[in-house]
Amino acid sequence: MFRLDSVSKSYGSEQALDGVSLTIAPGDTTALIGPSGSGKSTLFGLLTGLMKPDTGIIYFRDQDISRGSIRELRQHIGYVIQDGGLFPHLTGHGNVSLMAAHLGWSRSKITSRVDELLDLTRLSPEVLARYPAEMSGGQQQRVALVRALMLDADVLLLDEPLGSLDPIVRAELQQELAKIFRRLRKTVALITHDLAEAGYFSDRIVLLRNGRVVQTGSINELQNSPADDFVRQFVRAQQLAGVGQ
Amino acid sequence: MVTSAFATEPVRVGSKAFTESVILGELATQLGNNAGTPTIHRAQLGGTRVLWEALLAGQIDIYPEYTGTIIQELIPGTPGDTAAIDTALRQHGIGMTRPLGFNDTYALGVPETLARQLSLRSISDLAEHPMLRFGFSNEFLNRKDGWPVVKTVYSLPQTNVTGLDHDLAYRAVASGSIDVIDLYSTDAEIAYYHLRTLDDDRHVFSAYEAVYVYRLDLRDRAPAVIKAITRLEGAIDASHMIEMNALSKLQKVPEANVASQFLLTQFQIKSTPHVDGMAAQLLLRTREHLLLVGVSLAASIIVAIPLGVLAFLWPRVGQVILAVVAAIYTIPSLALLVFMIPLLGIGTLPAIIALFLYGLLPIVRNTHAGLLGIAPGLRESAIVLGLSPSARLLKIELPLASPSILAGIKTAAVINVGTATIGALIGAGGYGQPILTGIRLADYRLILLGAIPAAVLALMVQSGFGLLERCVVPRGLRVKSRR
């Protein structure tokens, strides 16, 4: 679905991505993990087209998206950020139907699609009548997910989707998201800073450090055959943090 | 054809913002009406510059002027005799009556007690008292025939020289906060405040014979009015003028009544002076003020919001836009008005344009800041959703910035209500009119008649925006977060 070919990106003197090559296959769920400053967010910026690479090429469905406008392609990409990124001046319903209405969908088509997704995400319709400020954190994330799925995008990009939720809500939503991903069979890429969460969602974890891919593999591979000392330390630190929780 | 088209328009008499000029303007107005030609008085329009430019631009037809001012300020280098002045004016399409009969020259005055103490008789005597504090009207302070020449000719050493309003100067000298002020020799206050007029022993001040200047085309358009005002030639001597000034300034008789009384006793002309009652005046000023505020604010909003959006979309252009609107804001209002007279004349339009320009800064700035303040995550979410730039602006960014934009409009509106009082300086009326007259006549009642409604209007605007906020700012931005 996505293919990155020696992609580099820097901000001034700071090298954010350094010759990254990576493939995200259709139907796969890929977790991007790494310490802050490792280049995860920059990578997402490039996948969503919000940034352009300095060198290298990025393909989305075999189309070069590293130059020029990709607005038409965006309908195929669903995007959810840490706090949901819901527009505070619109109700939940206004948020999820915004793009569909912009594309001229009929009201009945919008309604049936929203109902479908409410079912999938187990959201009650009355939540959609509220403004984001009136929703709980978990509700906001579900509504954001509905918004991202509204146009039936092929790819879901989730930037720390559970990052700002309290542990109980987080565990609950984690299970549900995994179920939803399995049911939808969509291509999913998500950023997390939690190795356990990455392992929970995905068999394919991409560990980044200083703008380079250090290791790609399942959580077991990262734990049992770390590529270098950094991977070993990273895994141990995550396990210690996990014990602490 | 042209003449008949003009005939429907009334003859417009202007006057400067001091009492004598207003009385003379009123005399001409009443004589014009008495002669059967509709004549209106645009009273206390401003200083010499404003009146002269307005006359040249055809915004007014007649106004009272002084020969000294013409040869010193308006057409410098003109010889002092009336024939030469007349010829010089003619080249600008302006005619002049013969002198009205009094010389209202500049003079310097000191309180009688102080004059006796220091034995001050002439301006030369001031040189020996460098500590004396001078307070001059701003016009006198800067005119070529004013303080600059006095200072040079008499070699005066005083450095404590401040500029202030002529009418306030009398009160300042009476209260002892300044010692020497400039006088118009027909001012009624000279006697009232017991001031001694210092002898101009080196003859610095030229003659300031009062005359009317008028547009020459008036001879075709309204010959009767010209004929009527020539009746005043040689008819007002200094004692008449001082008496009329005293009636108006010290006894608070409206200028219109002072003028009609003079016409009755001197010419047995019965004119009906137009004097508004307080309620009628308040209504008129409110209407004028609301017009100034409403139109200029609407124009500011229509122009400033797009400018703020432009500044946000193109940061480089934005720097220029923000700098220009800020620079405009710093131009003093009076200077801005005078610049506009040659282009737009006097009255409501230039006042509205000045207010419009002042209204730009808060709205442009708040629009720009409001858009810039949108959380990056929200802006990115809108882009990734696939909304077009225009849809993003209209559906996401402007609504999110609306509280800030509205706050900018509110600031602009409140400032505008206060600033609109400058309209009175250029003939646009409004609450500034009674304030200006009140300052001129030392009439606190009149000042309050303008100041209180202006303050009330500002408060109403303030609370009106509270209501507007409920309609304009999306509800989602007003609800309290549950998190």
Side-chain angles (χ1 to χ4, degrees):
Chain A
M1 190 62 67
F2 279 109
R3 190 153 62 81
L4 283 78
D5 201 353
S6 331
V7 169
S8 295
K9 174 81 183 171
S10 59
Y11 312 107
S13 61
E14 191 197 334
Q15 189 77 28
L17 278 185
D18 189 2
V20 169
S21 295
L22 184 70
T23 305
I24 295 174
D28 267 11
T29 296
T30 305
L32 301 172
I33 196 165
S36 48
S38 61
K40 301 173 301 215
S41 298
T42 303
L43 191 57
F44 252 42
L46 294 171
L47 295 182
T48 52
L50 288 168
M51 298 174 191
K52 298 290 173 195
D54 299 335
T55 57
I57 303 177
I58 302 164
Y59 297 96
F60 173 63
R61 300 201 303 192
D62 297 327
Q63 204 170 329
D64 182 357
I65 60 165
S66 30
R67 318 266 174 283
S69 168
I70 61 153
R71 182 141 60 82
E72 291 72 39
L73 293 176
R74 289 217 161 99
Q75 293 167 26
H76 305 293
I77 299 174
Y79 182 46
V80 176
I81 62 173
Q82 180 166 354
D83 292 309
L86 293 179
F87 303 123
H89 64 297
L90 300 175
T91 60
H93 191 270
N95 266 283
V96 301
S97 62
L98 181 67
M99 197 55 207
H102 184 62
L103 293 174
W105 285 22
S106 70
R107 188 168 295 187
S108 61
K109 188 176 173 192
I110 291 178
T111 309
S112 70
R113 177 68 181 154
V114 169
D115 287 346
E116 217 176 293
L117 292 171
L118 285 181
D119 247 16
L120 179 78
T121 53
R122 302 201 316 150
L123 252 180
S124 79
E126 74 206 38
V127 172
L128 280 196
R130 294 184 197 153
Y131 286 96
E134 300 166 325
M135 300 173 189
S136 70
Q139 287 169 336
Q140 290 191 4
Q141 286 309 101
R142 283 169 211 251
V143 173
L145 186 66
V146 172
R147 184 174 76 179
L149 291 170
M150 190 68 187
L151 300 187
D152 206 10
D154 307 318
V155 183
L156 269 182
L157 299 177
L158 310 167
D159 187 352
E160 300 259 14
L162 308 174
S164 59
L165 301 179
D166 59 67
I168 295 173
V169 181
R170 186 177 176 142
E172 189 186 298
L173 202 57
Q174 203 171 318
Q175 290 173 19
E176 272 188 51
L177 274 182
K179 250 189 254 171
I180 291 168
F181 295 163
R182 272 196 299 277
R183 265 177 66 184
L184 291 175
R185 297 173 197 284
K186 288 193 185 297
T187 311
V188 177
L190 61 89
I191 291 181
T192 175
H193 60 269
D194 180 350
L195 186 62
E197 187 172 288
Y200 187 87
F201 281 121
S202 172
D203 284 342
R204 187 155 179 272
I205 299 171
V206 177
L207 179 58
L208 289 155
R209 184 201 184 197
N210 295 339
R212 291 168 186 269
V213 175
V214 189
Q215 189 170 359
T216 304
S218 68
I219 189 162
N220 281 333
E221 285 167 331
L222 260 61
Q223 279 168 344
N224 300 331
S225 45
D228 61 12
D229 273 355
F230 167 74
V231 180
R232 192 171 298 121
Q233 279 169 17
F234 185 81
V235 170
R236 191 182 316 139
Q238 287 274 342
Q239 280 166 341
L240 287 174
V243 171
Q245 280 180 354
Chain B
M1 280 308 282
V2 176
T3 1
S4 67
F6 273 122
T8 55
E9 278 192 22
V11 170
R12 294 148 304 174
V13 178
S15 57
K16 299 188 195 181
F18 58 87
T19 301
E20 183 170 293
S21 191
V22 176
I23 294 172
L24 292 174
E26 198 52 49
L27 283 170
T29 308
Q30 291 183 20
L31 282 171
N33 280 320
N34 189 258
T37 308
T39 308
I40 56 167
H41 186 194
R42 308 187 79 166
Q44 51 183 30
L45 281 178
T48 299
R49 261 303 130 193
V50 173
L51 272 293
W52 176 245
E53 298 283 355
L55 185 70
L56 292 180
Q59 299 276 324
I60 55 175
D61 300 306
I62 306 173
Y63 81 89
E65 190 48 281
Y66 302 90
T67 51
T69 305
I70 298 171
I71 61 173
Q72 301 280 350
E73 280 289 307
L74 301 180
I75 316 173
T78 310
D81 59 297
T82 38
I85 297 173
D86 198 53
T87 313
L89 285 173
R90 210 166 276 276
Q91 285 167 1
H92 294 268
I94 304 299
M96 177 178 97
T97 63
R98 282 204 295 269
L100 304 183
F102 66 92
N103 174 17
D104 185 4
T105 187
Y106 274 122
L108 296 188
V110 286
E112 189 59 46
T113 46
L114 185 69
R116 231 174 282 149
Q117 234 172 34
L118 304 177
S119 7
L120 302 172
R121 303 210 158 273
S122 64
I123 300 178
S124 300
D125 296 338
L126 292 174
E128 289 154 40
H129 304 280
M131 293 317 288
L132 288 173
R133 296 157 301 169
F134 290 3
F136 296 138
S137 63
N138 289 304
E139 212 172 305
F140 180 79
L141 201 55
N142 297 308
R143 279 172 66 135
K144 295 185 204 79
D145 57 343
W147 171 240
V149 66
V150 175
K151 185 185 163 137
T152 318
V153 171
Y154 286 96
S155 315
L156 294 183
Q158 284 80 2
T159 49
N160 191 345
V161 182
T162 44
L164 73 171
D165 181 83
H166 185 63
D167 296 296
L168 298 178
Y170 280 109
R171 265 160 275 163
V173 79
S175 71
S177 51
I178 47 178
D179 305 315
V180 182
I181 64 172
D182 59 315
L183 312 169
Y184 303 142
S185 58
T186 51
D187 281 347
E189 290 90 339
I190 299 171
Y192 182 80
Y193 287 106
H194 308 291
L195 300 183
R196 180 181 290 182
T197 305
L198 297 176
D199 188 24
D200 177 18
D201 49 337
R202 296 200 184 163
H203 310 288
V204 164
F205 299 123
S206 43
Y208 288 78
E209 296 285 346
V211 295
Y212 287 107
V213 287
Y214 55 85
R215 293 178 62 81
L216 283 173
D217 60 14
L218 208 58
R219 288 187 174 163
D220 300 325
R221 280 161 49 207
V225 174
I226 303 213
K227 191 156 172 261
I229 60 171
T230 54
R231 296 180 72 171
L232 292 172
E233 291 173 348
I236 310 173
D237 62 23
S239 63
H240 280 137
M241 198 63 243
I242 293 173
E243 193 188 321
M244 285 196 279
N245 283 337
L247 269 179
S248 173
K249 295 196 76 169
L250 305 176
Q251 298 179 37
K252 314 288 183 215
V253 179
E255 293 91 349
N257 293 347
V258 172
S260 74
Q261 209 173 314
F262 179 84
L263 293 178
L264 185 65
T265 50
Q266 297 297 309
F267 301 107
Q268 287 75 49
I269 290 175
K270 275 196 178 173
S271 61
T272 41
H274 179 74
V275 181
D276 278 334
M278 200 161 113
Q281 210 187 123
L282 189 62
L283 191 71
L284 172 71
R285 299 310 172 204
T286 303
R287 262 209 321 264
E288 289 167 341
H289 208 85
L290 286 178
L291 177 74
L292 292 176
V293 171
V295 176
S296 63
L297 185 65
S300 296
I301 294 170
I302 291 169
V303 173
I305 292 179
L307 281 180
V309 171
L310 276 184
F312 163 71
L313 293 178
W314 292 300
R316 274 205 195 154
V317 183
Q319 292 301 317
V320 178
I321 292 175
L322 289 171
V324 168
V325 293
I328 289 173
Y329 195 79
T330 63
I331 303 175
S333 49
L334 200 53
L336 189 59
L337 291 177
V338 170
F339 282 138
M340 282 193 297
I341 292 173
L343 303 170
L344 301 163
I346 55 170
T348 308
L349 184 64
I352 284 177
I353 291 191
L355 293 172
F356 153 75
L357 289 172
Y358 288 133
L360 291 177
L361 178 67
I363 306 177
V364 170
R365 215 181 240 177
N366 273 42
T367 303
H368 179 248
L371 290 170
L372 219 55
I374 296 172
L378 292 181
R379 186 171 302 132
E380 288 171 4
S381 292
I383 296 174
V384 177
L385 267 181
L387 288 172
S388 63
S390 59
R392 252 167 23 225
L393 190 66
L394 292 176
K395 290 185 176 163
I396 309 294
E397 288 163 349
L398 282 177
L400 288 177
S402 63
S404 171
I405 296 174
L406 199 67
I409 295 175
K410 185 164 148 183
T411 307
V414 173
I415 292 174
N416 191 319
V417 168
T419 316
T421 51
I422 62 165
L425 296 171
I426 197 168
Y431 292 138
Q433 199 77 32
I435 295 177
L436 209 61
T437 314
I439 293 172
R440 182 163 62 73
L441 299 176
D443 186 337
Y444 293 106
R445 201 184 53 96
L446 267 178
I447 296 176
L448 293 178
L449 187 68
I452 291 175
V456 169
L457 185 61
L459 289 175
M460 278 164 57
V461 165
Q462 183 102 358
S463 55
F465 271 91
L467 293 175
L468 194 63
E469 211 162 2
R470 291 171 163 260
C471 313
V472 175
V473 174
R475 205 173 77 83
L477 297 181
R478 286 180 278 122
V479 293
K480 286 235 160 50
S481 172
R482 276 181 20 165
R483 298 178 72 187

